[in-house]
Amino acid sequence: MSNNEEVSAFQVVHEEFSTREAIEEAKRCLHCKVPSCEKGCPIGNDIRDFIHELSKGNMGDAMAIINEKSNLPAICGRVCPHEKQCQGHCVLARKGNPIQIGKIEQFIADFDTSMNLTREKLPQKDRGKVAVIGSGPAGLTVAGDLARQGFSVTIFEGQDEPGGVLMYGIPEYRLPKKVVRAEVKKIEALGVNFVCNALVGENNVTVDSLFRQGFDAIFMGTGTGVPQNMDSTPGADLHGVSQSTYFLHNVNSFNEGAVDRNVIPLRKGERVGVIGGGNVAMDAARTAIRLGADVTVLYRRTQEEMPAILSEYEEAVKEGVKFEWETTVEEFIKGKNGRLGACRVKSPAGERIEEFQRIYLAIGSRPANRIVSTTEGIEVDEKGYVKVLDRPVGMTTRRGVFAGGDVVHRPQTVVLAMKAAKEVAQGIAQYVDAIKLLQDVGVELKEEPTDITAGSDAAFEKK
């Protein structure tokens, strides 16, 4: 398989709606008085209304309705678990033919991008100054929501291009990178500034230095960038045992033309095992299949307990991925040249030796401690997840520093990270408004104590 053939193997799996198809699908909507589809949407999209506008051909109005709730519709339309959320709640799902809400949302957003329709009336950016660390789903959502409310927002991204997991962690066939770039440009058009190659917590860029630059509040949307490993399993350090996230990142870079094929840790014809049962495991398995591997997913629980989106599992099976349920790897066994050659696996049928040339781990991830370790006053739990308050929503134990998404709530889907981020955005707005009001009436906030959970009046003093 040539490089060009391998790149073409990552073409989008499902075709998009044509204009006629999208409008015809929208006309099927019953426009329910009590829309159950909206109850299934974590961010409360006004699904009934934007579908109704599409059915009349009002593309701009449909997009305006979506923009009221979502900053990333072209992405959500592609990667959300629709069968568990909006589509799964559609009344027509009972007859096995729900409205294709995801494809409709995707169509409207793509149409808006291609025709350059959106022209939002934006307020002056004079309500406050907010720094956002990380440009994944949570960071982009907070930035978009606050920019629409009159805040000056700057996103600090450690990579050389915005998008976070959307850009580097999801395969091209599920989420084309041109779509991510288009959504980022829409966020930028709201007046959001982007600073890339800025890794907060290193090179003298810290939370404290951002406050010194005049930011009123800081949002941590850094996700869970440190993959879990299997260090306690014998042989886990063998060459050939690596992380799914590393594999996916390299493949995405290859598809973008940024690296050569030999950078990808996989050769055609190799027998590959993927350990895990979530969406990252499905992405790794389906990606490895596209590169010519023989792929088996090893999952420690049953099929019914697998957290991956059902449609992703079904697509993987169609593409030739094999699955072994209730199976764990007890040992990674050395083969030729000191590399991985096989695994000792345990299943209900007993123990056996199974040949593998590659193993990709997809067993979860946890937050990095780069920001926490360089900032006083931010408390985390025993696993490194940031502790936050209920009021204002999302504020950490360091006053003015907020967090949301996977860094707080454990790894979840894109739309659940967005849901949490939208709530935190309101908390940030309330906080900044409050401190500015206090300043206006002559009350100055002290730098100490940093532990705002104590609720002490010592944090305030009259000028």
Side-chain angles (χ1 to χ4, degrees):
M1 187 183 294
S2 69
N3 281 4
N4 287 337
E5 289 174 326
E6 287 181 329
V7 170
S8 66
F10 287 86
Q11 296 299 312
V12 175
V13 175
H14 298 291
E15 294 297 323
E16 302 171 1
F17 276 147
S18 66
T19 302
R20 178 179 292 277
E21 289 169 339
I23 292 176
E24 288 301 319
E25 182 68 10
K27 288 178 178 177
R28 292 181 53 234
C29 179
L30 302 178
H31 205 65
C32 302
K33 186 175 181 179
V34 180
S36 55
C37 58
E38 295 179 8
K39 294 180 180 179
C41 177
I43 60 173
N45 252 325
D46 298 316
I47 297 168
R48 173 185 60 180
D49 293 341
F50 74 66
I51 288 180
H52 184 60
E53 292 301 327
L54 173 61
S55 73
K56 297 187 293 183
N58 297 334
M59 308 297 186
D61 289 342
M63 191 70 234
I65 291 169
I66 291 174
N67 281 340
E68 291 177 2
K69 297 291 179 67
S70 176
N71 290 297
L72 305 171
I75 292 170
C76 287
R78 288 172 164 86
V79 302
C80 278
H82 301 107
E83 70 268 17
K84 294 182 180 179
Q85 296 174 347
C86 53
Q87 267 171 227
H89 286 72
C90 175
V91 295
L92 295 178
R94 299 168 191 167
K95 296 183 179 180
N97 193 22
I99 302 297
Q100 299 298 297
I101 298 169
K103 289 186 72 173
I104 286 176
E105 181 181 28
Q106 172 186 331
F107 169 80
I108 295 169
D110 289 351
F111 187 92
D112 177 79
T113 297
S114 63
M115 301 304 290
N116 196 24
L117 291 180
T118 299
R119 288 292 183 273
E120 296 187 54
K121 295 180 180 179
L122 301 173
Q124 290 291 319
K125 301 296 189 291
D126 55 6
R127 192 171 165 187
K129 190 177 176 184
V130 178
V132 171
I133 305 172
S135 63
L140 292 174
T141 296
V142 165
D145 278 12
L146 292 178
R148 285 188 168 100
Q149 296 176 52
F151 289 89
S152 173
V153 184
T154 300
I155 294 180
F156 295 86
E157 169 55 49
Q159 300 281 356
D160 57 5
E161 189 172 3
V165 68
L166 303 172
M167 180 61 71
Y168 298 102
I170 301 178
E172 180 76 10
Y173 64 84
R174 275 221 294 149
L175 182 60
K177 300 304 162 274
K178 66 178 182 180
V179 172
V180 180
R181 293 188 176 106
E183 295 286 69
V184 168
K185 283 186 177 180
K186 287 184 178 180
I187 299 294
E188 194 171 23
L190 298 175
V192 175
N193 301 307
F194 287 85
V195 179
C196 292
N197 295 307
L199 204 59
V200 178
E202 294 185 1
N203 300 322
N204 298 319
V205 182
T206 64
V207 165
D208 292 322
S209 73
L210 293 177
F211 276 130
R212 287 195 295 271
Q213 291 179 37
F215 288 103
D216 299 303
I218 296 171
F219 173 74
M220 294 170 53
T222 48
T224 50
V226 181
Q228 303 280 15
N229 55 44
M230 294 179 64
D231 285 350
S232 61
T233 303
D237 58 346
L238 285 172
H239 187 62
V241 180
S242 58
Q243 291 289 344
S244 291
T245 49
Y246 173 75
F247 169 58
L248 292 169
H249 191 141
N250 282 338
V251 173
N252 280 333
S253 297
F254 166 68
N255 285 330
E256 288 284 302
V259 300
D260 294 332
R261 171 63 176 85
N262 58 15
V263 172
I264 300 174
L266 177 66
R267 298 293 171 263
K268 183 181 177 182
E270 287 184 325
R271 188 147 197 271
V272 171
V274 178
I275 300 177
N279 291 326
V280 173
M282 297 305 103
D283 286 344
R286 296 179 66 190
T287 295
I289 278 280
R290 282 164 168 74
L291 294 174
D294 178 350
V295 184
T296 301
V297 171
L298 308 170
Y299 184 52
R300 62 193 176 94
R301 295 189 175 125
T302 65
Q303 178 183 339
E304 292 71 27
E305 295 173 290
M306 183 176 63
I309 300 171
L310 178 61
S311 60
E312 288 298 303
Y313 162 69
E314 292 174 343
E315 294 286 351
V317 172
K318 287 179 185 177
E319 291 167 1
V321 177
K322 298 181 283 291
F323 287 80
E324 295 184 10
W325 308 109
E326 299 180 86
T327 300
T328 58
V329 173
E330 302 295 305
E331 181 184 5
F332 300 102
I333 300 172
K334 186 184 297 185
K336 296 179 181 178
N337 303 319
R339 293 175 48 89
L340 175 72
C343 293
R344 179 166 58 85
V345 300
K346 185 178 180 181
S347 70
E351 286 193 354
R352 65 185 184 280
I353 303 298
E354 220 174 309
E355 179 185 346
F356 287 108
Q357 284 82 48
R358 303 270 180 187
I359 287 288
Y360 297 126
L361 306 180
I363 56 174
S365 55
R366 56 184 173 81
N369 70 347
R370 188 179 61 252
I371 295 175
V372 172
S373 64
T374 58
T375 307
E376 289 187 9
I378 299 179
E379 294 183 10
V380 298
D381 67 14
E382 67 282 357
K383 293 187 177 180
Y385 291 93
V386 178
K387 295 181 179 180
V388 295
L389 306 178
D390 294 330
R391 183 176 174 84
V393 176
M395 188 152 79
T396 69
T397 50
R398 168 72 181 267
R399 190 175 62 231
V401 180
F402 292 74
D406 290 356
V407 73
V408 172
H409 299 287
R410 275 65 172 169
Q412 299 186 41
T413 61
V414 168
V415 73
L416 288 175
M418 290 171 61
K419 176 180 184 289
K422 292 183 77 66
E423 294 170 353
V424 177
Q426 289 304 309
I428 293 172
Q430 291 168 357
Y431 170 78
V432 175
D433 287 346
I435 62 170
K436 288 190 174 297
L437 176 60
L438 289 171
Q439 291 167 358
D440 288 345
V441 298
V443 177
E444 182 180 0
L445 289 173
K446 288 184 176 181
E447 284 298 319
E448 298 294 341
T450 56
D451 182 9
I452 51 81
T453 59
S456 172
D457 292 336
F460 306 95
E461 67 175 12
K462 190 77 172 179
K463 283 185 178 178

